[in-house]
Amino acid sequence: MDQLALEFPNFEQNISTKHEANKHAGNQEKKHAARERATELKEKIKDYLAAKRMIPTGFDLAPAYREARERVLRAFSAAEKDWNDWHWQLSHRITSVQTLARFLALSDQDREEIAGVSGHLRWALSPYYLALVMCDEPHGALWKQSIPSSFEITDMRGCEDPMAETWTSPAPGVTRRYPDRLIINVTNQCAMFCRHCQRRRNIGKGDHHRPRAVLEAALQYVRENEEIRDVLVTGGDALLLDDLVLDWLLGELHAIPHVEIKRLGTRTPVTLPQRVTPELCAVLEKYPPIYINTQFNHPREVTPEAKQACDLLVRAGAVLGNQAVLLRGVNNDPHVMKKLNQELLKIRVRPYYIFHAKNVKGTSHFITSVDEGLKIMENLRGQTSGLAVPTYIINAPYGMGKTPVAPNYLLGKKGNQLLLRTWENKIIPYEIPS
Ligand code: SF4
């Protein structure tokens, strides 16, 4: 007996008689069956519809956000035009407990924890993201991503560089882990230093863009390696380079005949949507095709400003994707993740990856079990549009690359006979015509 027969003893005979019978059904019976099925499907989505109403998006919170924004502007004696100026946002990043305490009700313990981390690691959030945190619950999903907690310095499991980026850099500024593509790392600057960041080792004590000589060397490496058809410009945050530098860098890449696509890694649509200006878009428009991957992790981050930034990028010809990170206490909930992906499609951002949080020192408190990730994927596939179903990825250690992890839908295979598990968990034999 082969393994398949052992595991599924009825595999050979278990061809559905129901479908055979249905072949001979009349129109009335078919309509009746369709109505029954529609009722069954309506039942299946009830739980989610009830949960969904309780998960606000940034659009639902717009009135509270406007109030928070006014408060921040008053505190900084600034005006609306300042708020919309990304340089103003960057130069007014909140980096001290005293300033934060003017806007958030911090407990004594919060203050101690933030001050404790401040001695070891930088933290900063843009006034824009602060206003979103002000609309969140204390220690909610946005707070957790942006405000330090003592776990960052007390739980030292993991390592600094789990993806071995320093071991996969064949040229200055370059990370290469795959045959036909590579990363050029252009800056360590970000609008906000996310507390779960996998590259926190690069945050350092100050903001540094890579010197022109490093970027030249990286470009030279790309020119000399004809198999590189896809270049990801990232950091830090690629869109924190100014327009002139981006114009030069993208122009150089565009001029390399074997570079087919350019990608930009940026979280600015989430943390600093003001960065997406008509001037930036005029630069991006010159060098198609450009793919931009960002990182929305929670529906509260999908705001009118974020939508406006995404609209401008789409109009400039960029194709937008999202790389969420699965984070304990932020989005490790099937309903939250489903709603996030649906909201992203509404603002023309295609959910691309869900990353299992990497084992980075100081971020263990964010790491979930893989079972939680698989449950989220089960709750997406078939339950919502395929467009809202990203690939769940675990980054293999030692720089061995992204490894997709998925629930199993092919339970057995014998010759041209398959045993499938459908999205509803129905076990169905299926014969491929030979
Ligand atoms: S924007 Fe990206 S690189 Fe910057 S801190 Fe956040 S996760 Fe890290």
Side-chain angles (χ1 to χ4, degrees), residues 30-320:
K30 284 179 186 166
K31 266 196 193 130
H32 179 71
R35 279 195 214 104
E36 269 189 357
R37 177 64 173 149
T39 308
E40 193 186 356
L41 291 171
K42 271 171 102 70
E43 237 0 85
K44 280 182 193 293
I45 202 174
K46 271 190 175 162
D47 274 5
Y48 173 61
L49 292 182
K52 183 182 166 182
R53 280 190 279 277
M54 309 303 288
I55 305 167
T57 68
F59 280 82
D60 301 321
L61 296 168
Y65 161 76
R66 279 195 292 276
E67 262 179 43
R69 182 184 62 185
E70 291 315 310
R71 234 182 101 194
V72 179
L73 281 174
R74 270 198 306 279
F76 285 124
S77 306
E80 180 83 23
K81 73 169 180 19
D82 298 317
W83 192 263
N84 296 326
D85 174 350
W86 69 280
H87 294 289
W88 182 88
Q89 287 276 342
L90 265 190
S91 59
H92 287 78
R93 285 184 300 177
I94 291 82
T95 58
S96 78
V97 192
Q98 293 74 14
T99 312
L100 196 62
R102 292 168 70 187
F103 304 106
L104 298 176
L106 300 179
S107 66
D108 289 346
Q109 189 184 339
D110 292 330
R111 286 168 194 258
E112 268 172 41
E113 291 196 20
I114 299 165
V117 174
S118 301
H120 300 263
L121 280 163
R122 282 203 296 162
W123 62 275
L125 59 164
S126 61
Y128 166 76
Y129 203 86
L130 169 68
L132 299 186
V133 177
M134 288 162 73
C135 309
D136 195 5
E137 302 135 25
H139 303 273
L142 275 54
W143 176 306
K144 281 195 166 77
Q145 290 183 71
S146 57
I147 297 176
S149 98
S150 61
F151 290 121
E152 296 184 37
I153 49 172
T154 54
D155 183 350
M156 288 291 103
R157 286 172 291 169
C159 57
E160 305 271 343
D161 180 14
M163 296 204 302
E165 288 183 320
T166 43
W167 289 82
T168 50
S169 179
V174 169
T175 302
R176 182 171 183 181
R177 288 195 292 260
Y178 301 101
D180 68 345
R181 56 205 184 277
L182 55 73
I183 290 172
I184 301 181
N185 189 307
V186 294
T187 182
N188 76 339
Q189 193 182 23
C190 296
M192 171 172 115
F193 294 118
C194 313
R195 306 325 299 162
H196 53 275
C197 180
Q198 65 171 42
R199 295 201 175 107
R200 54 175 32 217
R201 69 183 188 284
N202 294 340
I203 290 171
K205 298 205 182 312
D207 293 332
H208 303 291
H209 295 329
R210 294 273 194 182
R212 179 67 75 112
V214 170
L215 300 183
E216 292 275 14
L219 286 167
Q220 192 54 27
Y221 182 85
V222 177
R223 284 187 200 104
E224 288 167 1
N225 290 275
E226 277 188 9
E227 69 285 2
I228 300 301
R229 43 163 287 286
D230 171 0
V231 175
L232 167 62
V233 177
T234 189
D237 195 310
L239 289 191
L240 290 196
L241 293 187
D242 69 35
D243 294 348
L244 276 178
V245 178
L246 276 170
D247 196 357
W248 167 75
L249 183 60
L250 291 172
E252 292 295 316
L253 287 169
H254 197 68
I256 301 173
H258 55 267
V259 173
E260 297 169 5
I261 61 172
K262 278 90 51 195
R263 287 194 275 167
L264 295 166
T266 176
R267 212 179 171 203
T268 55
V270 185
T271 57
L272 182 70
Q274 296 78 7
R275 171 62 184 103
V276 183
T277 58
E279 294 76 22
L280 170 69
C281 291
V283 170
L284 301 180
E285 221 168 346
K286 284 162 51 180
Y287 308 113
I290 289 193
Y291 290 77
I292 294 182
N293 276 326
T294 187
Q295 188 199 125
F296 286 90
N297 288 328
H298 194 277
R300 283 173 183 262
E301 293 171 335
V302 182
T303 66
E305 280 89 337
K307 178 181 185 299
Q308 193 186 347
C310 293
D311 281 347
L312 285 171
L313 292 170
V314 169
R315 266 184 242 141
V319 180
L320 307 184

Side-chain angles (χ1 to χ4, degrees), residues 10-34:
N10 297 328
F11 184 71
E12 306 268 2
Q13 314 91 352
N14 195 11
I15 301 293
S16 168
T17 47
K18 192 175 169 197
H19 285 282
E20 277 302 306
N22 283 350
K23 274 188 197 166
H24 308 291
N27 279 346
Q28 280 312 318
E29 284 164 285
K30 284 179 186 166
K31 266 196 193 130
H32 179 71

